[in-house]
Amino acid sequence: MVAQNLGFDYIDTGAFYRCVTFAALSKGVDPSDPASVGQLSDIANQANIKLQTIFADSTSSKGEPNIRNLLPTTQVFLDSKDVSSEIRTGYVSKHVSSVAAVGKVREAVLQKIRRIGATDIDPSAESSSDAKLNNKGLVMDGRDIGTVVLPHADLKIFLVADSRVRAERRLQELVKSGADPALETLDVKAVQRDLERRDELDRTRKVSPLRKADDAMELDTSNLTIEGQVDVIVKEVERRRKSGNVTSTVPSART
């Protein structure tokens, strides 16, 4: 929604790791097995992943602006198959942190991100720390964007929220998608435990751990609506633009 409001592109980097995880599980590979590192790296390199973000019409039936209609959807394709629902299941979520902790997987995913956002990210950059943007604006969402992928981004937003609130939101997402057969056994506490487990894994991994960049703006969304969150971020972009501190980049490293 921030991307659409600003006229920027949007890349959900987490979808890439979920795709690799889904592909590995589909092949019977156990991501938690240290011996599977080579297989995970091969899968990540060979996977053909494409994202298509669909921005909805921003007007109501009466022709008036309606921010609720701005909720975008991101279709995710793995080897030409739409896996948008499959990669969001609890089974994939349970293993995605193990996959994302593999250095070779992260290298492969970074290259795919560069290719999919070729108009935005300089493909000549030789490492993640060298990644830089061309003139077109971009919102990128992921757990190491502000610290590793785009450390020199104009604006970094580190989103946080109470774990119970996050669990309630996540459960609503899962119920709405209706794609997870395990939903019948899920409750808020179970989702909360899984979110906290994943956070801990991501914070303590050796490769690109989850952490707040020193120059990131922290935004607690616990008591904010979607509209409220978008409004805060867009206003911050506009404020920095006026002061000359923002050109085109708004990555969001989130918990």
Side-chain angles (χ1 to χ4, degrees):
M1 290 172 66
V2 170
Q4 179 163 340
N5 194 301
L6 296 170
F8 289 1
D9 282 338
Y10 168 72
I11 295 179
D12 173 12
T13 62
F16 287 82
Y17 294 104
R18 286 180 173 275
C19 273
V20 176
T21 304
F22 174 73
L25 294 172
S26 298
K27 295 177 184 293
V29 176
D30 181 3
S32 62
D33 184 354
S36 68
V37 169
Q39 289 174 289
L40 293 173
S41 299
D42 290 341
I43 290 171
N45 280 301
Q46 295 167 11
N48 180 16
I49 303 170
K50 293 183 179 180
L51 272 62
Q52 181 180 3
T53 300
I54 301 172
F55 293 108
D57 185 2
S58 60
T59 57
S60 67
S61 58
K62 297 181 180 179
E64 300 172 348
N66 184 354
I67 198 166
R68 281 292 179 187
N69 290 339
L70 286 174
L71 286 171
T73 56
T74 299
Q75 287 182 292
V76 184
F77 298 89
L78 173 62
D79 298 327
S80 300
K81 178 187 176 183
D82 188 342
V83 294
S84 306
S85 297
E86 287 93 330
I87 65 170
R88 303 294 177 184
T89 64
Y91 188 46
V92 170
S93 296
K94 179 180 179 181
H95 294 284
V96 69
S97 289
S98 297
V99 173
V102 178
K104 292 293 184 181
V105 170
R106 300 196 73 85
E107 289 178 16
V109 167
L110 178 58
Q111 293 305 314
K112 293 179 190 301
I113 292 172
R114 285 178 177 158
R115 285 196 294 270
I116 202 170
T119 58
D120 304 290
I121 304 175
D122 185 350
S124 66
E126 295 181 356
S127 70
S128 58
S129 61
D130 294 327
K132 54 189 177 183
L133 296 183
N134 295 325
N135 293 328
K136 193 172 183 180
L138 174 69
V139 174
M140 190 177 290
D141 174 21
R143 294 193 162 201
D144 64 347
I145 305 304
T147 54
V148 177
V149 180
L150 294 174
H152 304 297
D154 295 313
L155 174 60
K156 304 171 187 177
I157 307 293
F158 191 77
L159 298 176
V160 298
D162 177 81
S163 62
R164 173 75 180 198
V165 174
R166 290 173 56 210
E168 291 172 350
R169 291 171 176 170
R170 180 60 178 154
L171 187 56
Q172 288 176 6
E173 261 186 338
L174 293 171
V175 170
K176 184 178 179 180
S177 70
D180 196 338
L183 277 176
E184 294 180 2
T185 61
L186 282 180
D187 58 22
V188 173
K189 289 184 178 180
V191 175
Q192 184 176 0
R193 285 194 299 270
D194 185 65
L195 285 172
E196 292 172 345
R197 177 193 63 82
R198 184 188 167 199
D199 287 347
E200 182 62 19
L201 288 172
D202 287 351
R203 276 194 294 264
T204 57
R205 70 188 180 207
K206 294 181 179 180
V207 182
S208 301
L210 166 66
R211 67 178 180 84
K212 177 185 173 183
D214 294 337
D215 58 344
M217 168 186 167
E218 183 169 317
L219 177 60
D220 189 333
T221 71
S222 301
N223 299 309
L224 288 175
T225 62
I226 293 174
E227 295 93 334
Q229 297 171 44
V230 172
D231 186 56
V232 170
I233 296 173
V234 170
K235 283 183 177 178
E236 179 63 18
V237 172
E238 292 172 345
R239 185 188 71 79
R240 296 196 183 196
R241 273 178 167 170
K242 290 179 180 178
S243 63
N245 293 328
V246 164
T247 54
S248 60
T249 320
V250 188
S252 167
R254 64 191 174 96
T255 61

